[in-house]
Amino acid sequence: MLGARNTPNSTERADAHSASELYVEQGLTMNSTVHLHSRQQVGTVDSRVFGGFLEHMGRAVYEGVYEPGCRHADEHGCRTDVLAALKRLDMTAMRYPGGNFASGYHWIDGIGPKNKRPTVRELAWQSIESNQFGTDEYIALCRRMGWTPMLTVNLGTGTPEEARNWVEYCNCPGGTRYADMRIANGSREPHAVKLWCLGNEMDGKWQLGHVPADQYAIRAQQAAKMMKDTDRAIEVVACGSCSTGIPTYMEWDRQVLEHLGDMADYVSLHRYVGNQANDTADYLAVSNGIDRQIEEMDAVCRFVQARRKSKKRAYLCFDEWNVWYKNMQMDGAGKEAPHLIEEAYNLEDALVVAGFLHSFVRHADCVKIANLAQIVNVIAPILTRCDDMLIQSIFYPFEMFARRRQGTALRVAVDGPHYEGKTNGRVAFVDASAILNKRKLQVFVTHRGLDRAMDLTVDLANASIGEIESAEIVAGNDPKVANSYENPSAVCAREFGELTVQNGKVKCQLPPLSFVAITLTLE
Ligand code: AHR
């Protein structure tokens, strides 16, 4: 149990602390209060918001989760070191097999005896795909990891019927062709895959089989109907706009949702952000844009629902999100498991990842699924190099949230100083979200200040905070500091002992460029 001001137990925190003390002496600290009320609730946080994404791209599958020749491989050929690290993230919905890869993938190539599976030329990433990992290996991995399977069907070069056959393979009891194939491949019990994405980024010209919105809508409706006729229990995710910058943004979504009608359970959103302008303050303000994207997409869903006078509300599935801008190597040059988009993440990226998660929690009423893109090697929190593995900075905010995700999101009002981001507009220095689970309150706070500490108060208006159960912090003086194989703990979560409870409120001082997650118990 933490409560009193503990002695810092790490060099990093000691440095950050002394930097903030300097500002106190000079009168340069700022003050902010996070105001909460236990009855001001947004909605239950859907655990699937803490999902991931495993694509057959680069070294995500091969040399990522699956590497039979590796010293760490288990009896299934999966890397135990990688899986142990992923276990810490406690991910929920795991989207597979793509991504752009899905739009050229024929699922039937990835089942059956491994020596009979075809090696194919893969066009999305110009790679060679051996199909040694496919549906049954993925499902077995989901079961071992506690992940909820989430499959993307091929609506690029594939047909609605091929998609429907995959549902039969996965979900139907024996007695018919594709279900019997699954049984022959060793799985008597159905895989029971509930979540299915109707293609990937079909609005993007780079997508195999890209078509205008009206044509995609027809394809998606046909596929959804046949898939749901095969298994009434499934839920489908329609392809929404792949970015806010695409010319068809919103209009694509309106057309697709109108045509799919009550068939659409969710619509997808994607977002990759970066600090191309090397302006940390503006970059950290990007959560403004994420909030706006969610609210705009929800507005389309509500608009279409109202126009159709339907009781059915389509919810949001943010099935690709992350920081991605430094490594744009996307051409596999005809290789198997090429090194593609192996982004190196630093402290400011970790704070932006926390910003995405704040936004999802704050919109718990409409964001029901979200998938960090991706999980290993490809724009990922984990990197591998032969038998070695490295945990990147963005791993920590995800882990800190995931451990505290259960409960109901509360509305958050931050009272404190603001600044003006060049492109992302005016934001409070403090970005926050909160989850209440009975007598337990989880508070997440990012301090975006670059060089001034922040005196923070957490005030739950209608209750007193009793004890501080645990708190962790990710912080540093340099936004560009990143982990490396030589220095693997340059950015990581550390215990944060700088909190006190005074008159039922939590007080602490946050160093600049920091993210904290705090678990509190109410009196
Ligand atoms: O995650 C990498 C790629 O980004 C995905 O394959 C695609 O959907 C998106 O453009």
Side-chain angles (χ1 to χ4, degrees):
M1 205 64 73
L2 299 174
R5 295 176 75 86
N6 293 358
T7 314
N9 60 0
S10 77
T11 321
E12 182 186 341
R13 206 182 59 231
D15 287 352
H17 185 62
S18 50
S20 54
E21 273 174 352
L22 181 72
Y23 285 108
V24 179
E25 272 168 31
Q26 295 172 352
L28 290 174
T29 27
M30 302 183 277
N31 292 287
S32 289
T33 302
V34 172
H35 292 282
L36 304 166
H37 189 296
S38 68
R39 292 206 192 88
Q40 290 282 336
Q41 304 185 347
V42 183
T44 305
V45 179
D46 195 315
S47 62
R48 296 171 303 172
V49 163
F50 296 88
F53 173 34
L54 175 62
E55 176 166 14
H56 280 258
M57 175 181 186
R59 301 190 308 124
V61 173
Y62 309 109
E63 298 184 21
V65 293
Y66 180 78
E67 193 174 9
C70 171
R71 179 161 67 84
H72 303 291
D74 61 14
E75 69 273 28
H76 310 280
C78 289
R79 284 187 67 138
T80 51
D81 54 342
V82 169
L83 299 189
L86 286 171
K87 263 268 185 228
R88 286 172 54 188
L89 296 181
D90 197 14
M91 284 172 153
T92 50
M94 186 57 65
R95 186 168 177 251
Y96 173 86
N100 294 346
F101 174 84
S103 298
Y105 180 60
H106 298 294
W107 64 270
I108 213 144
D109 291 346
I111 58 163
K114 290 195 177 185
N115 60 1
K116 298 248 170 62
R117 296 186 194 176
T119 293
V120 299
R121 187 170 286 280
E122 189 285 309
L123 299 182
W125 308 115
Q126 292 295 317
S127 310
I128 297 298
E129 172 56 51
S130 66
N131 283 304
Q132 293 303 291
F133 189 93
T135 304
D136 297 305
E137 290 79 21
Y138 158 74
I139 294 290
L141 183 58
C142 286
R143 299 292 175 244
R144 293 201 299 282
M145 294 297 288
W147 296 334
T148 301
M150 179 176 180
L151 289 172
T152 307
V153 302
N154 176 354
L155 289 191
T157 64
T159 61
E161 189 177 23
E162 182 183 1
R164 168 259 165 250
N165 295 344
W166 203 6
V167 175
E168 182 186 317
Y169 181 86
C170 290
N171 289 5
C172 292
T176 54
R177 187 191 329 179
Y178 296 102
D180 283 346
M181 274 187 195
R182 182 197 68 243
I183 294 169
N185 291 335
S187 301
R188 170 146 295 282
E189 289 308 311
H191 292 330
V193 178
K194 186 155 186 204
L195 274 175
W196 294 80
C197 301
L198 301 171
N200 175 71
E201 293 191 349
M202 293 301 298
D203 56 334
K205 289 213 166 110
W206 57 88
Q207 200 67 213
L208 297 170
H210 156 73
V211 277
D214 55 342
Q215 290 180 43
Y216 166 71
I218 291 168
R219 245 184 238 176
Q221 189 277 340
Q222 290 171 343
K225 171 158 175 32
M226 290 166 73
M227 291 162 74
K228 287 191 172 194
D229 283 350
T230 304
D231 179 359
R232 299 242 172 253
I234 67 167
E235 293 187 320
V236 297
V237 183
C239 270
S241 290
C242 65
S243 97
T244 53
I246 198 142
T248 50
Y249 180 58
M250 298 279 97
E251 183 50 23
W252 167 281
D253 309 274
R254 181 193 66 74
Q255 285 189 49
V256 168
L257 285 168
E258 281 187 347
H259 191 80
L260 275 166
D262 286 358
M263 203 75 88
D265 300 294
Y266 308 94
V267 62
S268 72
L269 297 78
H270 288 183
R271 184 74 174 261
Y272 293 103
V273 300
N275 189 4
Q276 288 87 347
N278 196 18
D279 177 341
T280 299
D282 189 35
Y283 180 42
L284 297 180
V286 75
S287 54
N288 256 1
I290 299 157
D291 286 344
R292 197 167 49 238
Q293 183 181 0
I294 290 171
E295 285 156 25
E296 286 169 350
M297 196 62 118
D298 187 44
V300 183
C301 291
R302 303 312 294 266
F303 171 80
V304 172
Q305 182 190 359
R307 238 168 74 143
R308 296 184 57 255
K309 299 195 182 350
S310 170
K311 289 206 174 76
K312 168 99 181 210
R313 177 175 176 185
Y315 288 101
L316 307 187
C317 171
F318 217 125
D319 59 21
E320 284 185 37
W321 66 270
N322 204 346
V323 170
W324 173 22
Y325 71 106
K326 301 177 201 106
N327 186 326
M328 303 311 282
Q329 179 53 45
M330 285 182 273
D331 184 346
K335 296 202 180 91
E336 270 187 63
H339 286 248
L340 300 182
I341 59 170
E342 300 200 359
E343 190 94 348
Y345 290 112
N346 58 29
L347 173 63
E348 64 182 10
D349 299 330
L351 300 181
V352 165
V353 160
F356 271 101
L357 294 167
H358 284 309
S359 188
F360 299 158
V361 170
R362 283 195 296 256
H363 293 92
D365 55 333
C366 57
V367 179
K368 300 295 175 188
I369 306 167
N371 307 78
L372 173 68
Q374 300 191 10
I375 57 170
V376 195
N377 288 327
V378 173
I379 44 173
I382 296 164
L383 290 173
T384 63
R385 187 178 68 182
C386 301
D387 286 341
D388 290 344
M389 188 191 76
L390 178 69
I391 290 188
Q392 300 222 66
S393 64
I394 62 167
F395 182 95
Y396 295 102
F398 195 102
E399 184 187 35
M400 288 155 74
F401 263 99
R403 285 176 44 194
R404 298 174 166 87
R405 66 172 177 237
Q406 221 175 24
T408 303
L410 298 183
R411 283 189 204 294
V412 178
V414 175
D415 192 6
H418 288 66
Y419 68 92
E420 205 68 45
K422 265 196 210 104
T423 55
N424 287 308
R426 189 176 158 76
V427 287
F429 278 93
V430 159
D431 195 13
S433 55
I435 300 174
L436 181 67
N437 187 12
K438 299 191 184 109
R439 305 301 298 165
K440 205 165 264 197
L441 177 64
Q442 314 286 4
V443 183
F444 309 93
V445 183
T446 306
H447 174 28
R448 310 186 241 221
L450 304 185
D451 47 17
R452 297 172 65 184
M454 177 69 71
D455 282 334
L456 182 80
T457 303
V458 178
D459 182 356
L460 183 66
N462 61 330
S464 274
I465 291 161
E467 281 181 330
I468 297 154
E469 195 177 297
S470 68
E472 289 122 52
I473 186 166
V474 174
N477 299 326
D478 175 5
K480 306 296 181 192
V481 67
N483 295 342
S484 62
Y485 285 97
E486 295 68 39
N487 187 8
S489 306
V491 189
C492 59
R494 303 180 196 282
E495 194 181 287
F496 186 52
E498 316 285 314
L499 299 143
T500 54
V501 179
Q502 294 170 22
N503 302 323
K505 300 181 196 346
V506 170
K507 305 264 183 190
C508 65
Q509 188 175 86
L510 300 178
L513 295 170
S514 60
F515 167 67
V516 293
I518 313 167
T519 302
L520 305 163
T521 41
L522 307 186
E523 269 183 350

